[in-house]
Amino acid sequence: MKTDDPQYVSILSMNDQGPAPEAAIVRDIIKHGSIVAPILIGASAVFWGVNGAWSSAYGVALVLGNFAFAAWMVSYTARISYALMMGATLFGYIFRLAVIAAAVFFVRNQSWVELVPLCMTIVITHVGLLFWEMRYISLSLAFPGLKPKHVASPTVQDSTSN
Amino acid sequence: MEALTRIAHASIRVAAELTPAEAKANAAAQMAGLAYGLAAIGPGIGIGMIFGKAIEAMARQPESAGMVRTTMFLGVAFTEALALIGFVAFILLKFA
């Protein structure tokens, strides 16, 4: 669309050069995932044996890799253009689903794979980590990603000193 | 149209040659694939809407882009969970 308005900025040229909140969020998710992974792998080992443990570990790795790739793609393309970010993420959704499907299809007949713990781990890890991460998300203009670890308490002015 | 008719006739001929157990397995495989495809449509629409609205919000208020991107990323991840559940259901129905 052509316009004579000097204030007009095309969405194709808009980008974001600031810090990427997705990267911070995904680093935190991976940190939490590394805490949860031994519990999930242990639970799978109890119910399905060694094969269950391997399958569960594979599922956790798939989910964390999926998060990391999604965050990288959003951060990288947002620095170029918002329009590219939209396109890359929509096609990236299909691509990432296809990669996960292929990653499960290719290993499904391997001797170390148990499909039930693998599939359960994928869903539980994905949803569980997201709900856990909700506790650490800050939605404010000052802190657009994670909540700050230490917030200085506001200075209380003594009204009697004036 | 003629090609479709030919494919339909070929499918009927193949189906007629199958045993009942094979036909049942064949139908189950087709339905599982269809279920996964249908399960991926909803999240696809949802993610499109999330991104569309996020881009609109960032264009209107560029200073809130970080906040919008955080919400957008989490929204997309939650929506994607639906597709993953559909995929998992497909895998478990088909192979487990």
Side-chain angles (χ1 to χ4, degrees), chain A residues 100-157:
Chain A
I100 290 176
V104 175
F105 271 119
F106 285 138
V107 301
R108 74 176 196 275
N109 291 326
Q110 300 292 319
S111 59
W112 53 272
V113 170
E114 291 279 345
L115 279 176
V116 175
L118 173 60
C119 292
M120 280 176 64
T121 305
I122 288 175
V123 171
I124 291 171
T125 312
H126 188 96
V127 178
L129 284 178
L130 281 175
F131 273 110
W132 193 5
E133 194 59 29
M134 293 291 283
R135 296 187 61 205
Y136 302 97
I137 293 297
S138 159
L139 290 178
S140 66
L141 286 175
F143 301 104
L146 298 172
K147 284 178 185 167
K149 289 207 167 55
H150 303 288
V151 179
S153 58
T155 307
V156 179
Q157 290 186 338

Side-chain angles (χ1 to χ4, degrees), chain A residues 11 16 20-22 25-26 66 82 85-86 89-90 93 96 101 105 108 115 119 123 126 130-131 137 139-141 144, chain B residues 40 43-44 47-48 51-52 55 58 64-67 69-71 73-74 77-78 80-81 83-84 87-88 90-91 95:
Chain A
I11 188 72
D16 191 352
E22 303 88 12
I25 291 169
V26 164
N66 182 39
Y82 284 157
M85 181 179 79
M86 174 128 188
T89 311
L90 287 177
Y93 161 68
R96 283 183 291 116
F105 271 119
R108 74 176 196 275
L115 279 176
C119 292
V123 171
H126 188 96
L130 281 175
F131 273 110
I137 293 297
L139 290 178
S140 66
L141 286 175
Chain B
I47 288 174
F51 264 94
I55 298 280
M58 286 189 281
S64 68
M67 207 169 69
R69 277 170 61 181
T70 302
T71 321
F73 185 71
L74 285 175
F78 271 114
E80 205 177 294
L84 279 180
F87 169 66
V88 161
F90 162 65
I91 288 285
F95 299 113

Side-chain angles (χ1 to χ4, degrees), chain B residues 8 20 50:
Chain B
I50 290 171

Side-chain angles (χ1 to χ4, degrees), chain A residues 14-109:
Chain A
M14 286 183 75
N15 57 22
D16 191 352
Q17 296 296 333
E22 303 88 12
I25 291 169
V26 164
R27 270 195 297 273
D28 207 43
I29 286 178
I30 290 174
K31 196 174 75 183
H32 293 154
S34 60
I35 296 169
V36 175
I39 300 168
L40 284 169
I41 292 169
S44 295
V46 168
F47 290 106
W48 288 279
V50 178
N51 290 348
W54 280 116
S55 305
S56 195
Y58 187 66
V60 171
L62 269 182
V63 169
L64 296 182
N66 182 39
F67 277 135
F69 184 67
W72 173 79
M73 202 159 54
V74 172
S75 317
Y76 184 78
T77 51
R79 290 183 196 285
I80 299 170
S81 153
Y82 284 157
L84 182 64
M85 181 179 79
M86 174 128 188
T89 311
L90 287 177
F91 284 105
Y93 161 68
I94 299 171
F95 176 72
R96 283 183 291 116
L97 268 188
V99 167
I100 290 176
V104 175
F105 271 119
F106 285 138
V107 301
R108 74 176 196 275
N109 291 326

Side-chain angles (χ1 to χ4, degrees), chain B:
Chain B
M1 194 64 192
E2 191 183 335
L4 283 177
T5 313
R6 213 178 307 133
I7 290 170
H9 284 165
S11 303
I12 291 167
R13 202 164 47 244
V14 168
E17 292 167 1
L18 294 176
T19 63
E22 286 172 338
K24 191 178 172 186
N26 195 5
Q30 287 180 12
M31 287 301 115
L34 185 66
Y36 179 39
L38 288 174
I41 289 175
I45 295 171
I47 288 174
M49 288 179 73
I50 290 171
F51 264 94
K53 293 293 177 187
I55 298 280
E56 194 178 311
M58 286 189 281
R60 283 179 191 274
Q61 285 187 302
E63 70 274 9
S64 68
M67 207 169 69
V68 172
R69 277 170 61 181
T70 302
T71 321
M72 178 188 81
F73 185 71
L74 285 175
V76 167
F78 271 114
T79 313
E80 205 177 294
L82 296 173
L84 279 180
I85 290 169
F87 169 66
V88 161
F90 162 65
I91 288 285
L92 292 179
L93 286 174
K94 180 83 173 66
F95 299 113

